[in-house]
Amino acid sequence: MTGTVYTLEVNPQIPERLAQLEDLANNLWYSWDRPTQGLFASLSHPLWKATNHNPKAFLKRADQKRLEATAENPVFIGALNRVASAFETYHETPAMAHVHGHPFKPDDLIAYFCAEFGFHESLPIYSGGLGILAGDHCKAASDMGLPFIGIGLLYRQGYFQQTLTADGHQQATYNDSDFDDLPISPVLNGEGNEVLVPVEFPGRIVQAKLWEVKVGHVRLILLDTWLPQNSDQDREITHRLYGGDKNTRIEQEILLGVGGARALAALGLKPTVWHVNEGHAAFLILERIRSLVKGGLPYAAALEAVASNVVFTTHTPVPAGHDHFPEEMMRHYFSGWCHDLGMSCEQLMALGAEPGKTDFNMTSLALRGSRHHNGVSRIHGDVSADICRYLWPQIQPAENPMDYVTNGVHLPTFLAQEWSETFERYLGIGWQERQTEPANWHGINLIPDTTFWSIRQQLKSKLLKLVRERIREQHLRNQGSPAHLDRLLKYADPDNPNILTIGFARRFATYKRAALLFQDPTWLREIITQANRPVLFLFAGKAHPADHPGQEIIRKIAQMARLPEFEGRILLVEGYDLHLSRSLVAGVDVWLNNPIYPLEASGTSGMKAAMNGALNLSVLDGWWGEGYDDTGEALNGWAIKPAPAHLTETQRDDEEARTLYEILQDQVIPTYYRTGPMGYSPEWVAMSKASIATISPRFNVIRMVSEYVKKFYAPAAAHGRRYYSENFATARQVADWKARVRAAWPGVRLHRLDSPERRLKFGGSVRIELAVQLNGLSPEDVTIEALFGRPGRKAGMAASATTRSPATASTSNGESLATLALTPELCGKLEYRIRIFPTNASLIHKFETGLMVWL
């Protein structure tokens, strides 16, 4: 038969009694509401799986007769009504709104910019941890009833789909999404027309269409350039997440920052807090400055006004990870902006300058254009303060404005459904509303061990079933034999899930050291091949297509998994996605993580595993540096202490691999298999309960977003109102003051006039007399401060007492005199140091100028 083949998709007509299903399918509330997911799945489990758990795609392909029959099914209609009622109630009163009240005014709005958002596999516009965190951030904002809107890009191709060859070669496949299948809708204006936003690029104007995603009661606005009025080149800007060359990258970031800011303006929205989540969106700072300068505000004052309510979060623990663009590229794209910004091109380049580099650094722009900055764990906050110290050159990293908020995860999304009924019984009704309260989790210990262990085994059984499906599919595609498949799946038995199962699933970046487990294969074989104490390792994850060392790690794992002694004991599962991720964190017994310290900014997968009762075995880096607890009656996991910094790379890996083997050999495996008469290890169950009880209240995203509200969002909104009020009077005053201080500061110095006392009786005071050259500044422009501390401590890091004094009378040679009277509160040997720094009551951080002189 020959001739043209035409395709046609026939969509069912949704019966009126099932119309609420369409409302549910168009709000990502379904991504964390399990009854909603169950409702769709009950209509057809095969179709639910085939559509990748996408309610909108599901309804487009459902069988008409099945829908009509379901519309007459009173049991289903009753379940639908209950879900629809819960949906309506949630939107009237978000789950946490009455628990976590917020300090915002009616006109406040938090605008959250990110290059990717990971809510659910049904909206593939994410690649990994940054996107999943952004999705969880939005979900928590919805739960808490915050005035919040997200801004991102709508990609036709999200991150690639992965398959693996028999020898572990990664194959990347990109597929265009069908926008009709996605839970998105075009943004329309008052006349019912689609909203387009113009963004200038060299020699052309690119139009971006706005789409909206509903995430509970939060809106997410996405920009899309795949439009007929744009050139083929410009359509490609939003074609692929992190795709294309350097030009595509800068165009994506201009669209996100500049276009995102204009999109909000086009919708009549005026955010009072602007959150730049990683540096990709930092160009919004230039767009906001341009808008203020166009209104008549001087550039310097516009920068201060804009920065006053910008929050910047960095997720990158190494300088090389920050986005940067060559100077000639920046001039190509932004030379026309300099006039609109009221500055020279040199001044523009200075906003993204980094000492010793010629490229324009997006992190530098984000930091200079914000006054609220944070890393994503305590360790990462310290690392970021050190990496970015060049922005505050005279301030020690421990005191510079870089703060931290440790990441968290959205508990309803990642906690397995199997726990819900048990938690409600033993933690009490409404336990999710109390999830940030440690006392709420004491009820975990009330769960009978047999019940607890049974749930853990159910979750592992579900995981092993999914792993078998994935392994069978990739094995058959690679033309493996049935006998070989039987050997591979020998230990992954859902009907007998008693084997100790250890998971490692994340991006295969070299610093994450997925292959550290194989540092000494002989020792590893001795540990995991004991007949009465078998161990199963599950590996999953992707390497960026351009990351060849990362792909080599995948091949190394595949190579080890093929060795006869490890066959079936080490499984490498392809196609890592959110669905597999949720199953892994819920079902494994141990979550393995061994990054190079201190390169793990935070990490969140271990949090998800811990909330489901898995035990973390991890290097003390990122979040685990705060989460590991060895003070309770039971440990909540195991810690690999980082090797000394002076070791070579090989020595470090050998040392930390040795620690890993010893923990597996002497603690993990014996504890798991130290079973009692009921067939499980009471010690293991106690640790598993401790994992849930200690990690859940501290590392959930409600706690995280609450910290953002307290530390950054509420202060930023208040600072913005102050800097913008009275025709930007505060912004103008601070800009003028900073210019005067920076001009005078090279000539500021101080010296001591008195002879230092060597001994003092407790309760006595030390009187210090100083002469200060202010170089034209007034005494009110500076603070002179003395810091006490124990010998050997860095000044300002752990001061036990401080005294401040403004400079007063002047001397004949133009110096000002200042006197400090200090009363130490400690006995023994003490050190004290004296410093002077600029002071202005309108500063947002007292050291934001980066200027300081020590005596």
Side-chain angles (χ1 to χ4, degrees):
M1 182 181 296
T2 61
T4 303
V5 177
Y6 299 94
T7 60
L8 176 68
E9 180 178 287
V10 180
N11 302 137
Q13 295 186 30
I14 307 299
E16 185 176 349
R17 296 187 71 188
L18 302 182
Q20 290 169 309
L21 286 174
E22 293 184 292
D23 293 332
L24 295 171
N26 282 287
N27 192 307
L28 280 165
W29 184 68
Y30 68 71
S31 69
W32 70 91
D33 186 72
R34 301 304 171 82
T36 302
Q37 297 170 18
L39 201 64
F40 285 98
S42 68
L43 287 168
S44 171
H45 285 279
L47 182 60
W48 181 243
K49 181 179 178 181
T51 56
N52 204 23
H53 317 114
N54 182 336
K56 193 170 178 180
F58 179 95
L59 289 179
K60 287 176 59 182
R61 294 160 177 79
D63 179 72
Q64 183 70 45
K65 292 182 178 179
R66 179 67 182 270
L67 290 175
E68 291 171 356
T70 300
E72 303 302 321
N73 183 334
V75 175
F76 184 89
I77 295 300
L80 174 59
N81 288 338
R82 285 191 296 273
V83 169
S85 177
F87 180 68
E88 183 178 341
T89 299
Y90 178 87
H91 281 75
E92 291 175 354
T93 308
M96 304 289 180
H98 65 289
V99 180
H100 298 273
H102 57 70
F104 299 108
K105 297 183 181 298
D107 61 344
D108 276 328
L109 177 65
I110 303 157
Y112 182 89
F113 286 69
C114 193
E116 54 173 295
F117 288 86
F119 299 101
H120 189 255
E121 53 266 31
S122 59
L123 184 60
I125 57 172
Y126 61 91
S127 71
L130 179 68
I132 305 303
L133 182 77
D136 281 5
H137 201 121
C138 294
K139 292 174 184 178
S142 176
D143 289 343
M144 297 169 66
L146 298 182
F148 191 95
I149 188 168
I151 300 91
L153 302 180
L154 181 58
Y155 308 98
R156 292 190 173 259
Q157 294 182 352
Y159 212 41
F160 66 91
Q161 295 171 328
Q162 178 203 54
T163 56
L164 298 174
T165 64
D167 55 0
H169 281 78
Q170 175 179 274
Q171 309 292 315
T173 304
Y174 288 92
N175 296 310
D176 283 4
S177 294
D178 182 346
F179 282 8
D180 288 339
D181 284 350
L182 304 184
I184 60 176
S185 58
V187 177
L188 305 179
N189 60 22
E191 289 74 44
N193 299 318
E194 294 180 347
V195 178
L196 302 181
V197 172
V199 179
E200 300 83 4
F201 286 90
R204 67 200 195 274
I205 295 178
V206 176
Q207 297 289 340
K209 178 180 176 178
L210 303 188
W211 297 80
E212 179 177 2
V213 181
K214 295 177 182 177
V215 186
H217 84 86
V218 161
R219 299 172 71 191
L220 172 66
I221 303 300
L222 300 174
L223 286 79
D224 167 30
T225 64
W226 195 271
L227 304 174
Q229 54 266 57
N230 290 332
S231 67
D232 290 346
Q233 172 191 349
D234 293 334
R235 294 182 193 183
E236 290 292 329
I237 295 174
T238 57
H239 188 207
R240 179 180 294 178
L241 171 64
Y242 302 141
D245 56 13
K246 202 80 168 179
N247 285 297
T248 303
R249 187 62 171 258
I250 194 172
E251 289 175 355
Q252 286 185 341
E253 298 193 5
I254 291 171
L255 182 68
L256 176 60
V258 176
R262 293 182 183 178
L264 293 174
L267 299 178
L269 300 175
K270 298 180 179 179
T272 52
V273 178
W274 301 71
H275 190 163
V276 178
N277 191 43
E278 197 50 277
H280 309 115
F283 286 134
L284 74 82
I285 292 163
L286 299 184
E287 169 62 13
R288 292 184 62 207
I289 293 173
R290 185 198 63 80
S291 178
L292 293 181
V293 170
K294 187 177 179 181
L297 194 64
Y299 159 71
L303 174 60
E304 295 298 332
V306 166
S308 68
N309 60 5
V310 173
V311 179
F312 170 58
T313 300
T314 175
H315 297 260
T316 309
V318 290
H322 297 156
D323 265 359
H324 52 88
F325 300 106
E327 180 177 354
E328 59 271 20
M329 179 177 285
M330 281 295 298
R331 289 181 180 272
H332 174 66
Y333 282 96
F334 285 96
S335 59
W337 280 64
C338 297
H339 177 268
D340 292 343
L341 290 167
M343 58 160 62
S344 67
C345 286
E346 287 68 28
Q347 287 177 298
L348 174 61
M349 290 302 300
L351 281 174
E354 183 182 0
K357 308 285 179 63
T358 59
D359 280 4
F360 187 94
N361 187 308
M362 293 298 286
T363 296
S364 297
L365 171 62
L367 288 167
R368 290 189 174 100
S370 63
R371 295 292 175 263
H372 312 271
H373 335 285
N374 70 284
V376 290
S377 69
R378 184 178 61 208
I379 293 171
H380 181 241
D382 292 341
V383 170
S384 298
D386 188 57
I387 290 174
C388 302
R389 64 187 182 277
Y390 63 88
L391 288 152
W392 308 283
Q394 296 177 357
I395 310 298
Q396 294 195 25
E399 289 190 293
N400 73 29
M402 183 63 70
D403 204 333
Y404 77 93
V405 173
T406 302
N407 286 342
V409 299
H410 191 243
L411 190 145
T413 297
F414 293 101
L415 184 71
Q417 175 69 17
E418 284 78 357
W419 288 113
S420 296
E421 183 178 336
T422 301
F423 280 10
E424 190 155 305
R425 179 177 180 184
Y426 291 97
L427 303 185
I429 294 174
W431 64 270
Q432 285 198 32
E433 298 174 3
R434 304 185 299 273
Q435 63 183 269
T436 60
E437 302 172 17
N440 175 60
W441 297 90
H442 293 170
I444 291 293
N445 291 315
L446 301 177
I447 302 173
D449 284 0
T450 51
T451 301
F452 188 95
W453 183 250
S454 175
I455 293 172
R456 289 290 308 144
Q457 295 297 83
Q458 288 176 45
L459 294 173
K460 193 195 300 186
S461 181
K462 285 180 64 174
L463 167 63
L464 295 179
K465 182 179 179 182
L466 176 61
V467 166
R468 288 177 72 90
E469 291 175 359
R470 296 279 182 108
I471 293 293
R472 181 180 292 110
E473 182 179 332
Q474 68 190 65
H475 185 75
L476 295 178
R477 189 190 63 253
N478 291 323
Q479 300 180 334
S481 70
H484 186 202
L485 180 62
D486 289 342
R487 294 197 303 273
L488 287 179
L489 298 178
K490 176 181 178 181
Y491 296 102
D493 184 358
D495 297 325
N496 183 26
N498 291 319
I499 186 171
L500 173 61
T501 304
I502 300 175
F504 184 104
R506 53 186 50 83
R507 181 166 55 95
F508 282 114
T510 52
Y511 80 88
K512 293 179 182 288
R513 294 189 301 184
L516 185 69
L517 181 67
F518 309 114
Q519 196 78 359
D520 187 338
T522 302
W523 193 352
L524 178 64
R525 182 181 66 246
E526 293 173 359
I527 293 172
I528 71 171
T529 59
Q530 299 176 50
N532 60 336
R533 300 197 306 187
V535 181
L536 173 65
F537 284 92
L538 301 177
F539 285 87
K542 299 176 180 179
H544 190 280
D547 181 6
H548 299 294
Q551 294 180 57
E552 183 57 38
I553 292 173
I554 297 176
R555 289 192 288 273
K556 172 70 178 293
I557 295 170
Q559 175 187 347
M560 299 302 296
R562 291 198 306 273
L563 294 177
E565 59 265 41
F566 295 137
E567 190 174 62
R569 302 176 188 272
I570 297 171
L571 297 179
L572 178 58
V573 187
E574 70 180 12
Y576 187 51
D577 57 14
L578 266 175
H579 178 53
L580 178 58
S581 169
R582 289 193 299 269
S583 298
L584 282 164
V585 297
V588 298
D589 298 301
V590 176
W591 195 254
L592 179 63
N593 186 33
N594 34 245
I596 298 171
Y597 178 89
L599 302 186
E600 182 83 295
S602 173
T604 55
S605 58
M607 303 173 189
K608 300 163 189 171
M611 290 175 176
N612 282 285
L615 299 175
N616 277 272
L617 169 52
S618 175
V619 170
L620 281 173
D621 195 9
W623 81 277
W624 191 234
E626 301 163 54
Y628 175 61
D629 184 2
D630 60 356
T631 63
E633 294 183 7
L635 294 174
N636 67 350
W638 294 275
I640 301 172
K641 294 182 179 179
H646 67 269
L647 297 182
T648 66
E649 181 178 321
T650 300
Q651 290 172 330
R652 177 202 64 212
D653 288 352
D654 286 343
E655 177 72 19
E656 293 179 7
R658 184 180 304 111
T659 302
L660 171 60
Y661 293 143
E662 289 172 348
I663 292 174
L664 287 171
Q665 169 186 278
D666 301 333
Q667 300 180 52
V668 177
I669 298 173
T671 302
Y672 183 86
Y673 284 107
R674 200 175 294 128
T675 57
M678 300 300 293
Y680 61 84
S681 165
E683 185 180 350
W684 188 275
V685 169
M687 291 183 67
S688 184
K689 288 181 176 181
S691 179
I692 295 176
T694 59
I695 300 304
S696 299
R698 296 177 56 203
F699 297 97
N700 62 74
V701 76
I702 298 297
R703 185 275 310 157
M704 181 192 87
V705 175
S706 296
E707 280 194 39
Y708 273 105
V709 169
K710 183 178 180 180
K711 279 187 170 184
F712 301 122
Y713 291 164
H719 291 312
R721 279 189 287 272
R722 182 160 57 95
Y723 272 59
Y724 274 65
S725 65
E726 299 179 4
N727 193 28
F728 303 95
T730 300
R732 295 173 191 267
Q733 181 266 321
V734 169
D736 292 343
W737 177 84
K738 284 185 176 180
R740 184 164 55 86
V741 167
R742 289 185 179 121
W745 200 253
V748 173
R749 56 186 179 274
L750 72 165
H751 61 94
R752 192 163 182 175
L753 299 176
D754 64 313
S755 298
E757 295 186 48
R758 299 298 182 185
R759 282 185 171 76
L760 182 72
K761 291 291 186 182
F762 183 79
S765 295
V766 177
R767 182 180 174 84
I768 302 171
E769 295 180 355
L770 301 166
V772 188
Q773 174 54 258
L774 293 176
N775 197 29
L777 298 177
S778 69
E780 291 73 25
D781 289 328
V782 299
T783 288
I784 302 171
E785 184 177 64
L787 298 141
F788 270 100
R790 292 296 187 188
R793 291 183 177 178
K794 293 182 180 179
M797 290 187 64
S800 56
T802 64
T803 301
R804 297 174 178 83
S805 172
T808 54
S810 299
T811 65
S812 57
N813 62 358
E815 292 181 324
S816 298
L817 298 179
T819 301
L820 302 180
L822 309 177
T823 305
E825 297 179 358
L826 297 173
C827 290
K829 284 194 176 294
L830 301 176
E831 290 180 348
Y832 64 94
R833 303 184 186 188
I834 302 164
R835 64 190 184 182
I836 182 173
F837 54 88
T839 298
N840 189 302
S842 295
L843 293 180
I844 293 171
H845 190 285
K846 70 176 184 177
F847 295 140
E848 69 181 67
T849 64
L851 302 175
M852 181 177 289
V853 173
W854 291 87
L855 178 64

